[in-house]
Amino acid sequence: MAGKPAIVLENITKIYHMGETRVIALKGINLTVQEGEMVAIMGPSGSGKSTLLNILGCLDRPTGGTYYLGGEDVSRLNKNQLALVRNKKIGFVFQSFNLLGRFPVLANVQLPLVYAGVGKKEMEERAKEALDWVGMSRYVHHYPGQLSGGQQQRVAIARALVNDPSIILADEPTGALDSRTSIEIISVIQRLNMEKGITVVMVTHEKDIALYCRRLVNMRDGCILSDAPVENPGNASDDLAAIPEEMGVPA
Amino acid sequence: MNFLHNLEVALNGLRANKMRSFLTMLGIIIGVAAVIIMISLGQGASKRITSQIASMGSNLLLVFPGAGQGPVRGASGNVNSLTLEDAEAIAGLSMVAHVAPELPASGTLSYGSQTWTARVVGTTPEMQVIKDWPVSAGSFFSGDDVRSAAMVAVLGKTVVDNLFLPGTNPVGSTIRINKLPFTVVGVLSAKGASMGGQDQDDVVYIPVSAAQKRLLGVNHVGLINVQAETPESMAFVQSSIESLLRERHRLTGSSSDDFSVRNLTSVLEAAENTTAIMTLLLASVAAVSLLVGGIGTMNIMLVSVTERTREIGLRMAVGATESNIRNQFLVEALVLCLIGGVMGIFVGIAGSRVISKAFGWPAYVTLSSILLSAGFSAAVGIFFGYYPARRAAGLDPIEALRFER
Ligand SMILES: Nc1ncnc2c1ncn2[C@@H]1O[C@H](COP(=O)(O)OP(=O)(O)O)[C@@H](O)[C@H]1O
Ligand SMILES: [Mg+2]
């Protein structure tokens, strides 16, 4: 599946100024991610994982270095241009789901399309399609508060994929979930990567979750410590079938 | 497209916090209602004055006997200085349209067993023209009736109501004024109360000659109504009358006038200006309360922005630009103020009616006052919504997503 690079980072630095002191969160990151890859980023707390993911997601600009997203230099874009890039090319999955509790599931999934200027009918069709894809089509009119954590994360994944992004960025997507539900969610993300060919970059601090990815990047103190392919990455769907359903409910 | 989304989000937000939204709107509702009530009361007062001017006769000058400033002071002076001949001479002046002398004589009226006391005024047919006062039955008496001092009378509506049974036509009947028989030749249409609250329909007009010779036995008249041809000519006519009467009354050099000419229209116009200023003042005070309502809106919008920090961060993450976010909160403030504004309009209209009924003040709700307050509440929404909206748009998406309540 190796082809064009989806992401190229050249000597990316990020410095935070806090009054007198400077925090160097990223110290010259070089990283290339090919289209269709599924990469896990690990590292101790404070090593710069979130900072890196925010730059990858065009939520933040690097202090120095160049970031090519799908061949386009996005490291010097202004705020409006970044918003457009986020809307068209990037899907986010968060640890805490970040669904809007005031709105039903369908409206939550439609949100990226609202800012893409998609018409009402098409918006609904595409949101339903995405919800169907993550197995949540029965919950279109539910509110997030009525759903379990795993269900909410599925809705969030539907929202991330609804506008056909080229990459999906996930910051500890299983951090708030129990282990079985974590594997469920990873299986959805794996399907996203394999069936739709979407590039996935995922931050996690759980080694067994990282081993479902095909490449593992280790960070420490704002640097990449190691970057290697995962031997025999797990298949979450298979693993899920092996784990008995909780409460003895037959599979 | 985005506007519709913003509208949905705004309405959703208002629904989610019904009590808070209502309390915020209440400020706008009260402000808008106050503006409408104040303006409609002011308009009512000024309409009343305008109709007074119209019912009194336009371009009207009043000539009173005696020096001084009006009927009250004049009464203590030489009250007999004006005559019918003075009135006829004034009618000959240029730019004078109509002249009608008036000789008041209060009298006891009777018809059959009914009696009634009303103002009895001796005058000429010109009076009807000056007051632009149509008859509802019969006709006004004629110039011939004046020349012959005919015993005829034209009755106001109130007099008819008090002397005659309902449904009877008084024309042709003979009533008695201070025991003397007068034939009713006409009935005037209803005119209503004057500015001072006096019933203008409680009046009987008879030929001025009949009043002088038969009722009072005098040769003077009480006052002379002079209608100028145009508003611009009033000053000219006034000074013409003054010099004419000084000449006719043989007043020379330093001897003071034994009459006075007053321009009542200008007095009423001054009253109208005063009313307009009062209206403006009251409306300004009301507008201040609308401003206070606006500040309440700003406060609640700021709370709303803080509460929804994460939502803002999420929206930015999925592609909302700063202007998307800003517009969303602007629309929300606008919706808040416009809903408040519309409710305020209804409360204002109802309030004007209630106050008008309760205190007997006239109130006119005008379209312009409704548009003004609707526009004002929209402006308040935009003005006080702008700062919170800017604040929301200026949030950093990463910080906003990290925000913990
Ligand atoms: N907004 C910020 N202001 C100042 N320092 C920050 C900010 N965000 C992150 N940092 C610092 O940058 C470093 C990397 O943080 P982060 O990327 O969140 O690490 P991780 O996600 O790996 O735990 C940390 O030392 C953190 O304190
Ligand atoms: Mg982190």
Side-chain angles (χ1 to χ4, degrees):
Chain A
M1 209 176 278
K4 289 185 289 175
I7 293 167
V8 177
L9 297 183
E10 288 176 354
N11 199 26
I12 291 288
T13 55
K14 182 70 190 181
I15 300 171
Y16 291 109
H17 294 270
M18 299 183 71
E20 294 290 283
T21 59
R22 299 191 321 159
V23 180
I24 306 177
L26 297 176
K27 300 172 180 166
I29 301 285
N30 290 292
L31 182 71
T32 300
V33 178
Q34 302 296 331
E35 276 182 7
E37 272 197 282
M38 181 156 169
V39 183
I41 299 176
M42 291 194 73
S45 176
S47 56
K49 306 181 297 291
S50 295
T51 304
L52 180 61
L53 212 64
N54 287 338
I55 288 173
L56 287 177
C58 292
L59 286 168
D60 205 355
R61 277 174 296 203
T63 309
T66 313
Y67 171 20
Y68 296 97
L69 176 63
E72 183 195 359
D73 182 0
V74 295
S75 36
R76 302 288 174 267
L77 297 183
N78 68 29
K79 284 185 179 177
N80 280 340
Q81 293 166 321
L82 288 178
L84 190 70
V85 170
R86 291 197 295 269
N87 184 247
K88 296 270 179 276
K89 297 195 174 172
I90 298 166
F92 289 97
V93 180
F94 304 92
Q95 177 177 359
S96 51
F97 325 131
N98 276 324
L99 298 175
L100 307 184
R102 298 191 288 136
F103 297 93
V105 162
L106 187 68
N108 268 283
V109 176
Q110 285 177 351
L111 207 57
L113 303 178
V114 167
Y115 297 110
V118 173
K120 199 172 169 64
K121 233 182 112 196
E122 189 191 338
M123 212 154 68
E124 196 171 315
E125 278 167 18
R126 284 169 65 177
K128 281 184 172 160
E129 206 178 300
L131 281 166
D132 198 34
W133 201 88
V134 298
M136 289 296 291
S137 47
R138 281 176 49 213
Y139 301 91
V140 166
H141 299 297
H142 283 60
Y143 283 81
Q146 301 170 303
L147 305 179
S148 70
Q151 288 173 324
Q152 290 190 52
Q153 196 60 301
R154 281 169 189 266
V155 172
I157 292 172
R159 181 182 63 196
L161 67 88
V162 75
N163 203 21
D164 292 327
S166 52
I167 61 175
I168 282 188
L169 303 173
D171 198 347
E172 309 210 14
T174 61
L177 303 174
D178 62 61
S179 54
R180 187 195 153 82
T181 314
S182 295
I183 299 174
E184 268 177 33
I185 291 304
I186 291 300
S187 81
V188 177
I189 295 177
Q190 272 190 334
R191 276 178 57 218
L192 206 65
N193 175 247
M194 288 190 280
E195 292 177 20
K196 289 189 174 280
I198 298 175
T199 311
V200 175
V201 178
M202 185 171 88
V203 167
T204 180
H205 57 253
E206 292 166 86
K207 183 81 181 198
D208 48 343
I209 293 294
L211 292 180
Y212 285 106
C213 297
R214 277 176 282 147
R215 179 177 166 191
L216 179 55
V217 173
N218 259 303
M219 291 186 68
R220 176 159 303 171
D221 298 333
C223 296
I224 291 181
L225 205 65
S226 69
D227 179 356
V230 174
E231 282 175 45
N232 290 323
N235 182 312
S237 306
D238 294 349
D239 291 357
L240 210 54
I243 306 173
E245 195 87 34
E246 273 165 73
M247 307 302 207
V249 178
Chain B
M1 169 55 237
N2 239 312
F3 176 77
L4 276 184
H5 176 78
N6 288 342
L7 200 63
E8 274 175 41
V9 171
L11 292 175
N12 182 301
L14 300 188
R15 266 199 305 273
N17 295 299
K18 283 196 192 71
M19 189 62 181
R20 195 171 82 184
S21 307
F22 175 72
L23 288 176
T24 310
M25 279 180 202
L26 202 57
I28 303 292
I29 293 172
I30 291 172
V32 167
V35 168
I36 289 182
I37 290 172
M38 291 311 160
I39 292 183
S40 65
L41 288 177
Q43 292 279 335
S46 96
K47 272 224 165 149
R48 189 187 250 187
I49 293 171
T50 310
S51 75
Q52 283 314 310
I53 294 175
S55 76
M56 204 177 61
S58 50
N59 309 336
L60 193 67
L61 293 168
L62 299 181
V63 184
F64 291 99
Q69 296 178 340
V72 181
R73 280 244 245 147
S76 65
N78 178 3
V79 293
N80 302 331
S81 63
L82 294 178
T83 62
L84 270 182
E85 289 69 36
D86 286 336
E88 276 157 25
I90 290 170
L93 291 172
S94 70
M95 302 308 283
V96 169
H98 300 283
V99 173
E102 252 182 64
L103 179 57
S106 87
T108 306
L109 314 174
S110 63
Y111 177 73
S113 60
Q114 295 293 318
T115 60
W116 184 247
T117 307
R119 265 182 335 122
V120 177
V121 177
T123 187
T124 62
E126 306 246 59
M127 178 63 97
Q128 192 197 9
V129 182
I130 291 173
K131 297 228 174 196
D132 189 20
W133 199 350
V135 289
S136 61
S139 64
F140 213 85
F141 54 76
S142 67
D144 284 346
D145 292 331
V146 175
R147 274 184 286 283
S148 62
M151 307 278 276
V152 293
V154 177
L155 309 184
K157 174 87 168 36
T158 306
V159 174
V160 172
D161 290 345
N162 284 287
L163 283 185
F164 293 89
L165 289 172
T168 51
N169 183 357
V171 175
S173 318
T174 298
I175 61 165
R176 288 179 181 275
I177 303 176
N178 293 349
K179 303 229 167 68
L180 296 170
F182 281 76
T183 305
V184 177
V185 294
V187 175
L188 292 163
S189 60
K191 205 160 198 182
S194 73
M195 186 167 43
Q198 192 185 22
D199 181 4
Q200 299 183 92
D201 296 318
D202 196 8
V203 70
V204 176
Y205 285 116
I206 59 174
V208 62
S209 47
Q212 285 180 325
K213 292 174 192 157
R214 323 247 183 208
L215 274 187
L216 299 173
V218 297
N219 275 322
H220 65 270
V221 297
L223 69 107
I224 302 172
N225 295 274
V226 182
Q227 187 172 40
E229 280 179 1
T230 61
E232 296 75 39
S233 62
M234 290 186 76
F236 169 75
V237 169
Q238 180 164 0
S239 65
S240 308
I241 292 170
E242 279 162 1
S243 46
L244 174 81
L245 289 183
R246 281 186 73 81
E247 196 179 303
R248 285 182 57 84
H249 297 181
R250 297 181 216 294
L251 302 170
T252 49
S254 60
S255 57
S256 59
D257 292 350
D258 61 355
F259 61 90
S260 64
V261 183
R262 290 191 67 200
N263 182 345
L264 263 199
T265 312
S266 68
V267 172
L268 282 177
E269 273 165 1
E272 199 170 32
N273 283 339
T274 312
T275 312
I277 291 168
M278 280 302 290
T279 305
L280 197 67
L281 270 175
L282 290 175
S284 314
V285 172
V288 168
S289 75
L290 192 50
L291 218 62
V292 173
I295 293 169
T297 307
M298 175 147 103
N299 187 25
I300 256 0
M301 289 307 298
L302 284 172
V303 170
S304 179
V305 168
T306 307
E307 275 181 355
R308 278 147 67 183
T309 301
R310 272 179 91 103
E311 172 180 334
I312 294 164
L314 187 269
R315 285 175 182 276
M316 287 175 161
V318 301
T321 59
E322 287 187 14
S323 58
N324 288 147
I325 300 294
R326 194 187 58 222
N327 291 346
Q328 180 192 323
F329 282 91
L330 266 184
V331 166
E332 188 160 333
L334 204 59
V335 164
L336 202 63
C337 287
L338 279 181
I339 293 177
V342 168
M343 289 166 79
I345 286 170
F346 285 110
V347 172
I349 292 172
S352 306
R353 296 248 167 90
V354 168
I355 290 178
S356 171
K357 277 258 164 60
F359 298 95
W361 296 337
Y364 284 86
V365 179
T366 58
L367 185 65
S368 62
S369 71
I370 289 174
L371 292 180
L372 182 81
S373 44
F376 207 71
S377 59
V380 162
I382 291 175
F383 185 79
F384 289 103
Y386 190 76
Y387 175 70
R390 268 254 329 255
R391 200 146 122 169
L395 286 175
D396 173 47
I398 299 165
E399 299 285 337
L401 279 167
R402 255 209 304 258
F403 183 80
E404 298 289 341
R405 251 183 254 176

